[in-house]
Short mmCIF file of all heavy atoms in Angstrom, two decimals:
data_model
loop_
_atom_site.label_atom_id
_atom_site.label_comp_id
_atom_site.label_asym_id
_atom_site.label_seq_id
_atom_site.Cartn_x
_atom_site.Cartn_y
_atom_site.Cartn_z
N ALA G 1 0.84 -1.19 0.00
CA ALA G 1 0.00 0.00 0.00
C ALA G 1 0.88 1.25 0.00
O ALA G 1 1.93 1.27 0.60
CB ALA G 1 -0.90 -0.02 1.22
N ASP G 2 0.42 2.26 -0.68
CA ASP G 2 1.13 3.53 -0.77
C ASP G 2 0.95 4.31 0.53
O ASP G 2 -0.16 4.63 0.91
CB ASP G 2 0.58 4.33 -1.95
CG ASP G 2 1.28 5.66 -2.15
OD1 ASP G 2 2.17 6.01 -1.35
OD2 ASP G 2 0.94 6.34 -3.13
N LYS G 3 2.04 4.63 1.20
CA LYS G 3 1.95 5.32 2.49
C LYS G 3 1.49 6.76 2.34
O LYS G 3 1.15 7.41 3.30
CB LYS G 3 3.28 5.26 3.24
CG LYS G 3 4.39 6.09 2.64
CD LYS G 3 5.63 6.03 3.50
CE LYS G 3 6.71 6.94 2.96
NZ LYS G 3 7.85 7.02 3.85
N HIS G 4 1.45 7.28 1.11
CA HIS G 4 1.01 8.65 0.88
C HIS G 4 -0.42 8.72 0.32
O HIS G 4 -0.84 9.77 -0.13
CB HIS G 4 1.97 9.36 -0.07
CG HIS G 4 3.35 9.49 0.50
ND1 HIS G 4 3.63 10.21 1.63
CD2 HIS G 4 4.52 8.95 0.09
CE1 HIS G 4 4.92 10.13 1.89
NE2 HIS G 4 5.48 9.37 0.98
N SER G 5 -1.14 7.60 0.36
CA SER G 5 -2.54 7.61 -0.06
C SER G 5 -3.43 7.57 1.18
O SER G 5 -2.96 7.34 2.29
CB SER G 5 -2.84 6.43 -0.99
OG SER G 5 -2.73 5.21 -0.30
N ILE G 6 -4.69 7.81 0.99
CA ILE G 6 -5.63 7.83 2.11
C ILE G 6 -5.64 6.46 2.79
O ILE G 6 -5.45 5.43 2.14
CB ILE G 6 -7.02 8.28 1.64
CG1 ILE G 6 -7.87 8.69 2.82
CG2 ILE G 6 -7.67 7.26 0.76
CD1 ILE G 6 -9.08 9.50 2.43
N GLY G 7 -5.86 6.45 4.11
CA GLY G 7 -5.71 5.23 4.90
C GLY G 7 -6.76 4.16 4.67
O GLY G 7 -6.56 3.02 5.05
N SER G 8 -7.89 4.51 4.05
CA SER G 8 -8.95 3.55 3.82
C SER G 8 -9.91 4.13 2.79
O SER G 8 -10.01 5.34 2.62
CB SER G 8 -9.70 3.26 5.12
OG SER G 8 -10.85 2.48 4.88
N ASP G 9 -10.66 3.26 2.12
CA ASP G 9 -11.70 3.70 1.19
C ASP G 9 -12.98 4.09 1.90
O ASP G 9 -13.87 4.68 1.29
CB ASP G 9 -12.01 2.60 0.18
CG ASP G 9 -10.85 2.33 -0.76
OD1 ASP G 9 -10.02 3.24 -0.96
OD2 ASP G 9 -10.77 1.21 -1.30
N VAL G 10 -13.10 3.74 3.19
CA VAL G 10 -14.32 4.03 3.95
C VAL G 10 -14.12 5.33 4.73
O VAL G 10 -13.47 5.36 5.76
CB VAL G 10 -14.66 2.86 4.92
CG1 VAL G 10 -15.92 3.17 5.70
CG2 VAL G 10 -14.80 1.56 4.14
N ILE G 11 -14.70 6.41 4.20
CA ILE G 11 -14.58 7.72 4.84
C ILE G 11 -15.79 7.96 5.73
O ILE G 11 -16.93 7.83 5.29
CB ILE G 11 -14.46 8.83 3.76
CG1 ILE G 11 -13.16 8.62 2.98
CG2 ILE G 11 -14.52 10.21 4.40
CD1 ILE G 11 -13.01 9.52 1.79
N LYS G 12 -15.52 8.30 6.99
CA LYS G 12 -16.58 8.51 7.97
C LYS G 12 -16.85 9.98 8.25
O LYS G 12 -17.97 10.36 8.56
CB LYS G 12 -16.23 7.78 9.27
CG LYS G 12 -16.08 6.27 9.06
CD LYS G 12 -15.71 5.54 10.30
CE LYS G 12 -16.82 5.45 11.26
NZ LYS G 12 -17.64 4.32 11.35
N THR G 13 -15.83 10.85 8.13
CA THR G 13 -16.00 12.27 8.40
C THR G 13 -14.89 13.06 7.72
O THR G 13 -13.79 12.54 7.53
CB THR G 13 -16.03 12.55 9.92
OG1 THR G 13 -16.38 13.91 10.15
CG2 THR G 13 -14.72 12.23 10.59
N VAL G 14 -15.20 14.30 7.35
CA VAL G 14 -14.22 15.20 6.73
C VAL G 14 -14.42 16.58 7.36
O VAL G 14 -15.55 17.04 7.49
CB VAL G 14 -14.43 15.30 5.20
CG1 VAL G 14 -13.46 16.28 4.59
CG2 VAL G 14 -14.31 13.93 4.55
N VAL G 15 -13.31 17.24 7.73
CA VAL G 15 -13.41 18.57 8.34
C VAL G 15 -12.17 19.39 8.00
O VAL G 15 -11.09 18.84 7.83
CB VAL G 15 -13.60 18.45 9.88
CG1 VAL G 15 -12.35 17.94 10.56
CG2 VAL G 15 -14.05 19.76 10.49
N CYS G 16 -12.35 20.70 7.88
CA CYS G 16 -11.23 21.62 7.78
C CYS G 16 -10.98 22.21 9.16
O CYS G 16 -11.92 22.62 9.84
CB CYS G 16 -11.55 22.76 6.80
SG CYS G 16 -11.31 22.32 5.10
N ASP G 17 -9.72 22.27 9.56
CA ASP G 17 -9.40 22.87 10.86
C ASP G 17 -9.32 24.39 10.72
O ASP G 17 -9.56 24.95 9.65
CB ASP G 17 -8.14 22.25 11.48
CG ASP G 17 -6.87 22.56 10.72
OD1 ASP G 17 -6.85 23.46 9.87
OD2 ASP G 17 -5.86 21.88 11.00
N ARG G 18 -8.98 25.06 11.79
CA ARG G 18 -8.96 26.52 11.81
C ARG G 18 -7.83 27.13 10.99
O ARG G 18 -7.80 28.32 10.78
CB ARG G 18 -8.94 27.01 13.24
CG ARG G 18 -10.23 26.61 13.93
CD ARG G 18 -10.28 27.02 15.35
NE ARG G 18 -11.49 26.44 15.94
CZ ARG G 18 -12.05 26.89 17.02
NH1 ARG G 18 -11.54 27.91 17.67
NH2 ARG G 18 -13.13 26.31 17.47
N GLN G 19 -6.91 26.29 10.54
CA GLN G 19 -5.84 26.76 9.66
C GLN G 19 -6.11 26.38 8.20
O GLN G 19 -5.26 26.55 7.34
CB GLN G 19 -4.49 26.20 10.11
CG GLN G 19 -4.06 26.74 11.46
CD GLN G 19 -2.72 26.19 11.91
OE1 GLN G 19 -2.25 25.17 11.44
NE2 GLN G 19 -2.09 26.89 12.84
N GLY G 20 -7.30 25.82 7.94
CA GLY G 20 -7.68 25.45 6.58
C GLY G 20 -7.17 24.11 6.11
O GLY G 20 -7.26 23.79 4.94
N ARG G 21 -6.62 23.32 7.03
CA ARG G 21 -6.11 21.99 6.68
C ARG G 21 -7.26 20.98 6.66
O ARG G 21 -8.16 21.04 7.49
CB ARG G 21 -5.04 21.55 7.66
CG ARG G 21 -3.83 22.46 7.65
CD ARG G 21 -2.84 22.07 8.70
NE ARG G 21 -3.45 22.20 10.03
CZ ARG G 21 -2.78 22.24 11.16
NH1 ARG G 21 -1.47 22.13 11.15
NH2 ARG G 21 -3.40 22.37 12.31
N LEU G 22 -7.20 20.06 5.72
CA LEU G 22 -8.24 19.05 5.56
C LEU G 22 -7.88 17.79 6.33
O LEU G 22 -6.80 17.22 6.14
CB LEU G 22 -8.41 18.72 4.07
CG LEU G 22 -9.53 17.76 3.73
CD1 LEU G 22 -10.89 18.40 4.03
CD2 LEU G 22 -9.45 17.35 2.27
N TRP G 23 -8.80 17.35 7.20
CA TRP G 23 -8.65 16.13 7.99
C TRP G 23 -9.77 15.18 7.62
O TRP G 23 -10.92 15.58 7.45
CB TRP G 23 -8.71 16.43 9.48
CG TRP G 23 -7.56 17.24 9.95
CD1 TRP G 23 -7.48 18.61 10.00
CD2 TRP G 23 -6.31 16.76 10.43
NE1 TRP G 23 -6.25 19.00 10.48
CE2 TRP G 23 -5.52 17.87 10.76
CE3 TRP G 23 -5.78 15.48 10.62
CZ2 TRP G 23 -4.23 17.76 11.27
CZ3 TRP G 23 -4.50 15.37 11.13
CH2 TRP G 23 -3.74 16.49 11.45
N ILE G 24 -9.43 13.90 7.50
CA ILE G 24 -10.39 12.87 7.09
C ILE G 24 -10.35 11.74 8.12
O ILE G 24 -9.28 11.23 8.46
CB ILE G 24 -10.03 12.32 5.70
CG1 ILE G 24 -9.97 13.47 4.69
CG2 ILE G 24 -11.01 11.24 5.27
CD1 ILE G 24 -9.20 13.16 3.45
N GLY G 25 -11.52 11.37 8.61
CA GLY G 25 -11.64 10.22 9.49
C GLY G 25 -12.12 9.03 8.69
O GLY G 25 -13.13 9.12 7.98
N THR G 26 -11.40 7.93 8.76
CA THR G 26 -11.80 6.72 8.05
C THR G 26 -12.10 5.62 9.07
O THR G 26 -12.01 5.83 10.28
CB THR G 26 -10.69 6.22 7.09
OG1 THR G 26 -9.64 5.62 7.83
CG2 THR G 26 -10.16 7.35 6.22
N ASP G 27 -12.43 4.45 8.57
CA ASP G 27 -12.70 3.33 9.46
C ASP G 27 -11.43 2.74 10.06
O ASP G 27 -11.50 1.85 10.91
CB ASP G 27 -13.50 2.25 8.74
CG ASP G 27 -12.76 1.61 7.58
OD1 ASP G 27 -11.86 2.25 7.01
OD2 ASP G 27 -13.11 0.46 7.24
N LYS G 28 -10.24 3.29 9.68
CA LYS G 28 -8.98 2.76 10.20
C LYS G 28 -7.99 3.83 10.65
O LYS G 28 -7.09 3.53 11.43
CB LYS G 28 -8.29 1.91 9.13
CG LYS G 28 -9.08 0.69 8.73
CD LYS G 28 -8.38 -0.08 7.65
CE LYS G 28 -9.25 -1.25 7.21
NZ LYS G 28 -8.72 -1.90 6.03
N THR G 29 -8.10 5.06 10.15
CA THR G 29 -7.08 6.08 10.42
C THR G 29 -7.67 7.48 10.54
O THR G 29 -8.78 7.74 10.10
CB THR G 29 -6.04 6.15 9.29
OG1 THR G 29 -6.70 6.57 8.08
CG2 THR G 29 -5.32 4.84 9.08
N LEU G 30 -6.87 8.35 11.11
CA LEU G 30 -7.05 9.79 10.98
C LEU G 30 -6.08 10.21 9.89
O LEU G 30 -4.90 9.88 9.95
CB LEU G 30 -6.71 10.50 12.29
CG LEU G 30 -6.68 12.02 12.26
CD1 LEU G 30 -8.07 12.58 11.97
CD2 LEU G 30 -6.14 12.57 13.56
N THR G 31 -6.57 10.91 8.87
CA THR G 31 -5.75 11.24 7.71
C THR G 31 -5.74 12.74 7.49
O THR G 31 -6.78 13.39 7.56
CB THR G 31 -6.29 10.53 6.46
OG1 THR G 31 -6.26 9.12 6.67
CG2 THR G 31 -5.47 10.86 5.24
N TYR G 32 -4.55 13.28 7.22
CA TYR G 32 -4.36 14.69 6.91
C TYR G 32 -3.98 14.80 5.44
O TYR G 32 -3.13 14.05 4.97
CB TYR G 32 -3.26 15.27 7.80
CG TYR G 32 -2.66 16.56 7.33
CD1 TYR G 32 -3.40 17.73 7.36
CD2 TYR G 32 -1.36 16.61 6.85
CE1 TYR G 32 -2.85 18.93 6.92
CE2 TYR G 32 -0.80 17.79 6.41
CZ TYR G 32 -1.56 18.95 6.45
OH TYR G 32 -1.02 20.12 6.01
N TYR G 33 -4.63 15.71 4.72
CA TYR G 33 -4.26 15.94 3.33
C TYR G 33 -3.33 17.13 3.27
O TYR G 33 -3.69 18.25 3.63
CB TYR G 33 -5.48 16.18 2.45
CG TYR G 33 -5.10 16.50 1.04
CD1 TYR G 33 -4.49 15.54 0.23
CD2 TYR G 33 -5.30 17.76 0.51
CE1 TYR G 33 -4.10 15.82 -1.07
CE2 TYR G 33 -4.93 18.06 -0.79
CZ TYR G 33 -4.33 17.09 -1.57
OH TYR G 33 -3.94 17.38 -2.85
N ASP G 34 -2.11 16.91 2.80
CA ASP G 34 -1.12 17.96 2.63
C ASP G 34 -1.23 18.49 1.20
O ASP G 34 -0.73 17.87 0.26
CB ASP G 34 0.28 17.40 2.90
CG ASP G 34 1.36 18.46 2.88
OD1 ASP G 34 1.14 19.53 2.29
OD2 ASP G 34 2.43 18.19 3.45
N ALA G 35 -1.92 19.61 1.04
CA ALA G 35 -2.17 20.17 -0.30
C ALA G 35 -0.87 20.62 -0.97
O ALA G 35 -0.75 20.55 -2.19
CB ALA G 35 -3.15 21.32 -0.21
N ASP G 36 0.09 21.09 -0.18
CA ASP G 36 1.36 21.55 -0.76
C ASP G 36 2.11 20.41 -1.46
O ASP G 36 2.76 20.63 -2.49
CB ASP G 36 2.26 22.17 0.31
CG ASP G 36 1.69 23.46 0.87
OD1 ASP G 36 0.91 24.14 0.16
OD2 ASP G 36 2.00 23.78 2.03
N CYS G 37 2.03 19.22 -0.90
CA CYS G 37 2.72 18.05 -1.47
C CYS G 37 1.79 17.14 -2.27
O CYS G 37 2.24 16.18 -2.87
CB CYS G 37 3.38 17.24 -0.36
SG CYS G 37 4.64 18.13 0.55
N ASP G 38 0.48 17.45 -2.23
CA ASP G 38 -0.55 16.63 -2.89
C ASP G 38 -0.46 15.16 -2.47
O ASP G 38 -0.40 14.26 -3.30
CB ASP G 38 -0.45 16.76 -4.41
CG ASP G 38 -1.67 16.15 -5.10
OD1 ASP G 38 -2.76 16.16 -4.51
OD2 ASP G 38 -1.52 15.66 -6.24
N ARG G 39 -0.44 14.96 -1.14
CA ARG G 39 -0.44 13.59 -0.62
C ARG G 39 -1.07 13.57 0.77
O ARG G 39 -1.27 14.58 1.40
CB ARG G 39 0.94 12.99 -0.62
CG ARG G 39 1.94 13.70 0.24
CD ARG G 39 3.26 12.98 0.16
NE ARG G 39 4.36 13.85 0.49
CZ ARG G 39 5.61 13.54 0.36
NH1 ARG G 39 5.95 12.36 -0.11
NH2 ARG G 39 6.56 14.38 0.68
N PHE G 40 -1.36 12.35 1.21
CA PHE G 40 -2.00 12.13 2.50
C PHE G 40 -0.99 11.66 3.52
O PHE G 40 -0.01 10.99 3.18
CB PHE G 40 -3.10 11.07 2.38
CG PHE G 40 -4.24 11.50 1.49
CD1 PHE G 40 -4.26 11.15 0.15
CD2 PHE G 40 -5.29 12.24 1.99
CE1 PHE G 40 -5.30 11.53 -0.68
CE2 PHE G 40 -6.34 12.64 1.18
CZ PHE G 40 -6.34 12.28 -0.16
N LYS G 41 -1.24 11.99 4.79
CA LYS G 41 -0.45 11.45 5.89
C LYS G 41 -1.43 10.81 6.87
O LYS G 41 -2.40 11.44 7.29
CB LYS G 41 0.35 12.55 6.59
CG LYS G 41 1.22 12.00 7.69
CD LYS G 41 2.18 13.02 8.22
CE LYS G 41 3.07 12.35 9.27
NZ LYS G 41 4.01 13.28 9.85
N ASN G 42 -1.18 9.56 7.20
CA ASN G 42 -2.09 8.79 8.05
C ASN G 42 -1.56 8.68 9.47
O ASN G 42 -0.36 8.47 9.67
CB ASN G 42 -2.29 7.39 7.46
CG ASN G 42 -2.92 7.47 6.10
OD1 ASN G 42 -4.04 7.92 5.95
ND2 ASN G 42 -2.20 7.04 5.07
N PHE G 43 -2.47 8.80 10.41
CA PHE G 43 -2.15 8.65 11.83
C PHE G 43 -3.06 7.57 12.39
O PHE G 43 -4.27 7.59 12.16
CB PHE G 43 -2.40 9.97 12.58
CG PHE G 43 -1.62 11.12 12.04
CD1 PHE G 43 -2.17 11.95 11.08
CD2 PHE G 43 -0.34 11.37 12.48
CE1 PHE G 43 -1.46 13.03 10.57
CE2 PHE G 43 0.39 12.45 11.98
CZ PHE G 43 -0.18 13.27 11.02
N HIS G 44 -2.48 6.65 13.13
CA HIS G 44 -3.26 5.57 13.73
C HIS G 44 -3.50 5.89 15.20
O HIS G 44 -2.56 6.18 15.94
CB HIS G 44 -2.54 4.23 13.58
CG HIS G 44 -2.39 3.82 12.16
ND1 HIS G 44 -3.37 3.16 11.48
CD2 HIS G 44 -1.39 4.03 11.28
CE1 HIS G 44 -2.97 2.96 10.23
NE2 HIS G 44 -1.77 3.47 10.08
N ILE G 45 -4.76 5.87 15.58
CA ILE G 45 -5.15 6.07 16.98
C ILE G 45 -5.51 4.68 17.48
O ILE G 45 -6.59 4.18 17.20
CB ILE G 45 -6.34 7.04 17.07
CG1 ILE G 45 -5.95 8.38 16.48
CG2 ILE G 45 -6.79 7.18 18.51
CD1 ILE G 45 -7.08 9.34 16.35
N GLY G 46 -4.60 4.05 18.17
CA GLY G 46 -4.80 2.64 18.50
C GLY G 46 -4.52 1.82 17.25
O GLY G 46 -3.96 2.30 16.27
N GLU G 47 -4.95 0.60 17.25
CA GLU G 47 -4.72 -0.27 16.10
C GLU G 47 -5.95 -0.30 15.22
O GLU G 47 -6.98 -0.87 15.58
CB GLU G 47 -4.38 -1.69 16.56
CG GLU G 47 -3.95 -2.55 15.41
CD GLU G 47 -3.39 -3.89 15.86
OE1 GLU G 47 -2.76 -3.94 16.91
OE2 GLU G 47 -3.61 -4.86 15.14
N LYS G 48 -5.86 0.37 14.05
CA LYS G 48 -6.96 0.44 13.09
C LYS G 48 -8.25 0.92 13.74
O LYS G 48 -9.33 0.36 13.51
CB LYS G 48 -7.14 -0.88 12.37
CG LYS G 48 -5.94 -1.25 11.52
CD LYS G 48 -6.16 -2.50 10.74
CE LYS G 48 -4.93 -2.82 9.91
NZ LYS G 48 -5.07 -4.03 9.15
N THR G 49 -8.16 1.94 14.57
CA THR G 49 -9.31 2.49 15.26
C THR G 49 -10.06 3.43 14.33
O THR G 49 -9.46 4.33 13.74
CB THR G 49 -8.86 3.25 16.52
OG1 THR G 49 -8.15 2.34 17.36
CG2 THR G 49 -10.03 3.81 17.28
N PRO G 50 -11.38 3.25 14.19
CA PRO G 50 -12.14 4.15 13.33
C PRO G 50 -12.25 5.55 13.93
O PRO G 50 -12.29 5.71 15.14
CB PRO G 50 -13.51 3.48 13.24
CG PRO G 50 -13.62 2.66 14.48
CD PRO G 50 -12.22 2.23 14.81
N VAL G 51 -12.27 6.55 13.07
CA VAL G 51 -12.47 7.94 13.49
C VAL G 51 -13.87 8.34 13.06
O VAL G 51 -14.15 8.49 11.87
CB VAL G 51 -11.40 8.87 12.88
CG1 VAL G 51 -11.70 10.31 13.22
CG2 VAL G 51 -10.02 8.47 13.38
N ASP G 52 -14.77 8.48 14.05
CA ASP G 52 -16.17 8.76 13.75
C ASP G 52 -16.45 10.25 13.57
O ASP G 52 -17.25 10.64 12.72
CB ASP G 52 -17.06 8.21 14.87
CG ASP G 52 -16.89 6.71 15.03
OD1 ASP G 52 -16.89 6.01 14.01
OD2 ASP G 52 -16.74 6.24 16.16
N HIS G 53 -15.80 11.10 14.38
CA HIS G 53 -16.01 12.55 14.32
C HIS G 53 -14.70 13.28 14.61
O HIS G 53 -13.89 12.80 15.41
CB HIS G 53 -17.06 12.99 15.34
CG HIS G 53 -18.38 12.33 15.17
ND1 HIS G 53 -19.27 12.67 14.18
CD2 HIS G 53 -18.96 11.32 15.85
CE1 HIS G 53 -20.34 11.89 14.27
NE2 HIS G 53 -20.17 11.07 15.27
N ILE G 54 -14.53 14.45 14.00
CA ILE G 54 -13.36 15.30 14.24
C ILE G 54 -13.88 16.71 14.53
O ILE G 54 -14.69 17.24 13.78
CB ILE G 54 -12.45 15.36 12.99
CG1 ILE G 54 -12.01 13.96 12.56
CG2 ILE G 54 -11.24 16.26 13.26
CD1 ILE G 54 -11.36 13.94 11.18
N LEU G 55 -13.40 17.29 15.63
CA LEU G 55 -13.79 18.65 16.00
C LEU G 55 -12.54 19.48 16.26
O LEU G 55 -11.78 19.16 17.18
CB LEU G 55 -14.67 18.64 17.25
CG LEU G 55 -15.10 20.00 17.79
CD1 LEU G 55 -16.03 20.69 16.82
CD2 LEU G 55 -15.76 19.83 19.14
N PRO G 56 -12.28 20.52 15.46
CA PRO G 56 -11.13 21.38 15.74
C PRO G 56 -11.35 22.13 17.06
O PRO G 56 -12.40 22.74 17.25
CB PRO G 56 -11.11 22.36 14.56
CG PRO G 56 -11.92 21.70 13.49
CD PRO G 56 -12.95 20.89 14.20
N LEU G 57 -10.38 22.06 17.97
CA LEU G 57 -10.49 22.74 19.26
C LEU G 57 -9.87 24.13 19.21
O LEU G 57 -10.40 25.08 19.75
CB LEU G 57 -9.83 21.92 20.36
CG LEU G 57 -10.49 20.60 20.70
CD1 LEU G 57 -9.66 19.85 21.71
CD2 LEU G 57 -11.90 20.83 21.22
N ASP G 58 -8.70 24.23 18.61
CA ASP G 58 -8.00 25.50 18.46
C ASP G 58 -7.05 25.35 17.28
O ASP G 58 -7.21 24.42 16.49
CB ASP G 58 -7.28 25.91 19.76
CG ASP G 58 -6.37 24.81 20.31
OD1 ASP G 58 -5.76 24.07 19.50
OD2 ASP G 58 -6.24 24.70 21.53
N LYS G 59 -6.06 26.21 17.16
CA LYS G 59 -5.17 26.16 16.00
C LYS G 59 -4.32 24.90 15.91
O LYS G 59 -3.84 24.54 14.84
CB LYS G 59 -4.25 27.38 15.98
CG LYS G 59 -4.95 28.64 15.59
CD LYS G 59 -3.95 29.76 15.46
CE LYS G 59 -4.62 31.01 14.94
NZ LYS G 59 -3.69 32.10 14.75
N SER G 60 -4.10 24.23 17.03
CA SER G 60 -3.17 23.10 17.00
C SER G 60 -3.74 21.78 17.51
O SER G 60 -3.04 20.78 17.51
CB SER G 60 -1.91 23.44 17.80
OG SER G 60 -2.26 23.65 19.15
N ARG G 61 -5.00 21.76 17.94
CA ARG G 61 -5.53 20.51 18.49
C ARG G 61 -6.88 20.14 17.88
O ARG G 61 -7.68 21.00 17.55
CB ARG G 61 -5.72 20.63 20.00
CG ARG G 61 -4.43 20.76 20.77
CD ARG G 61 -4.66 20.81 22.27
NE ARG G 61 -5.65 21.82 22.60
CZ ARG G 61 -6.47 21.76 23.65
NH1 ARG G 61 -6.40 20.75 24.48
NH2 ARG G 61 -7.34 22.72 23.89
N LEU G 62 -7.09 18.83 17.77
CA LEU G 62 -8.35 18.26 17.30
C LEU G 62 -8.92 17.38 18.40
O LEU G 62 -8.17 16.72 19.13
CB LEU G 62 -8.14 17.40 16.06
CG LEU G 62 -7.52 18.05 14.83
CD1 LEU G 62 -7.20 16.98 13.80
CD2 LEU G 62 -8.44 19.10 14.26
N LEU G 63 -10.23 17.33 18.50
CA LEU G 63 -10.91 16.37 19.36
C LEU G 63 -11.43 15.27 18.44
O LEU G 63 -12.14 15.55 17.47
CB LEU G 63 -12.06 17.02 20.13
CG LEU G 63 -12.81 16.13 21.10
CD1 LEU G 63 -11.90 15.69 22.24
CD2 LEU G 63 -14.03 16.85 21.64
N ILE G 64 -11.05 14.04 18.74
CA ILE G 64 -11.41 12.89 17.91
C ILE G 64 -12.36 11.99 18.69
O ILE G 64 -12.07 11.63 19.83
CB ILE G 64 -10.14 12.07 17.54
CG1 ILE G 64 -9.04 12.95 16.95
CG2 ILE G 64 -10.50 10.91 16.63
CD1 ILE G 64 -9.38 13.62 15.67
N CYS G 65 -13.47 11.62 18.08
CA CYS G 65 -14.39 10.65 18.68
C CYS G 65 -14.22 9.33 17.94
O CYS G 65 -14.31 9.28 16.70
CB CYS G 65 -15.82 11.15 18.56
SG CYS G 65 -17.02 9.97 19.23
N SER G 66 -13.95 8.28 18.69
CA SER G 66 -13.72 6.97 18.12
C SER G 66 -14.41 5.92 18.98
O SER G 66 -14.03 5.73 20.14
CB SER G 66 -12.22 6.68 18.04
OG SER G 66 -12.00 5.36 17.64
N GLU G 67 -15.44 5.30 18.43
CA GLU G 67 -16.16 4.23 19.13
C GLU G 67 -16.57 4.67 20.54
O GLU G 67 -16.41 3.92 21.49
CB GLU G 67 -15.34 2.95 19.16
CG GLU G 67 -15.06 2.40 17.77
CD GLU G 67 -14.28 1.12 17.79
OE1 GLU G 67 -13.35 0.96 18.61
OE2 GLU G 67 -14.61 0.25 16.97
N GLY G 68 -17.06 5.90 20.67
CA GLY G 68 -17.54 6.39 21.96
C GLY G 68 -16.44 6.92 22.88
O GLY G 68 -16.72 7.37 23.97
N ARG G 69 -15.20 6.86 22.45
CA ARG G 69 -14.07 7.40 23.23
C ARG G 69 -13.62 8.73 22.64
O ARG G 69 -13.73 8.92 21.43
CB ARG G 69 -12.91 6.41 23.25
CG ARG G 69 -13.25 5.12 23.98
CD ARG G 69 -12.13 4.14 23.88
NE ARG G 69 -12.06 3.72 22.47
CZ ARG G 69 -11.17 2.90 21.98
NH1 ARG G 69 -10.24 2.40 22.75
NH2 ARG G 69 -11.19 2.56 20.71
N LEU G 70 -13.10 9.60 23.47
CA LEU G 70 -12.58 10.88 23.00
C LEU G 70 -11.07 10.92 23.12
O LEU G 70 -10.50 10.46 24.11
CB LEU G 70 -13.19 12.03 23.82
CG LEU G 70 -14.69 12.22 23.68
CD1 LEU G 70 -15.18 13.30 24.62
CD2 LEU G 70 -15.07 12.54 22.25
N TRP G 71 -10.41 11.49 22.12
CA TRP G 71 -8.96 11.63 22.09
C TRP G 71 -8.66 13.07 21.67
O TRP G 71 -9.39 13.67 20.89
CB TRP G 71 -8.35 10.74 21.01
CG TRP G 71 -8.73 9.29 21.06
CD1 TRP G 71 -9.93 8.76 20.71
CD2 TRP G 71 -7.92 8.21 21.47
NE1 TRP G 71 -9.89 7.40 20.86
CE2 TRP G 71 -8.67 7.04 21.34
CE3 TRP G 71 -6.61 8.11 21.93
CZ2 TRP G 71 -8.17 5.79 21.65
CZ3 TRP G 71 -6.12 6.85 22.22
CH2 TRP G 71 -6.88 5.73 22.10
N THR G 72 -7.57 13.63 22.16
CA THR G 72 -7.09 14.88 21.61
C THR G 72 -5.86 14.58 20.78
O THR G 72 -5.07 13.69 21.10
CB THR G 72 -6.73 15.92 22.71
OG1 THR G 72 -5.82 15.35 23.62
CG2 THR G 72 -7.98 16.39 23.42
N PHE G 73 -5.73 15.31 19.70
CA PHE G 73 -4.63 15.08 18.77
C PHE G 73 -4.07 16.42 18.37
O PHE G 73 -4.78 17.37 18.13
CB PHE G 73 -5.15 14.33 17.53
CG PHE G 73 -4.09 14.02 16.54
CD1 PHE G 73 -3.27 12.92 16.70
CD2 PHE G 73 -3.88 14.84 15.44
CE1 PHE G 73 -2.28 12.64 15.78
CE2 PHE G 73 -2.90 14.58 14.52
CZ PHE G 73 -2.10 13.46 14.69
#
């Protein structure tokens, strides 16, 4: 698998943060789209943990909801 492609075909949520960056929650990863490089960067929260919701908290933090649990990233 290409490490610069989106982490899964199953997209659960998409949000832009307060800096205009695109974040994608899939059934396996939290994914950031780097528009400058035209590629994705995947972050694993646990082992293949789905990301159900993403809420930007401030300029540098996201609140992630995963299977009823909350994480800050």
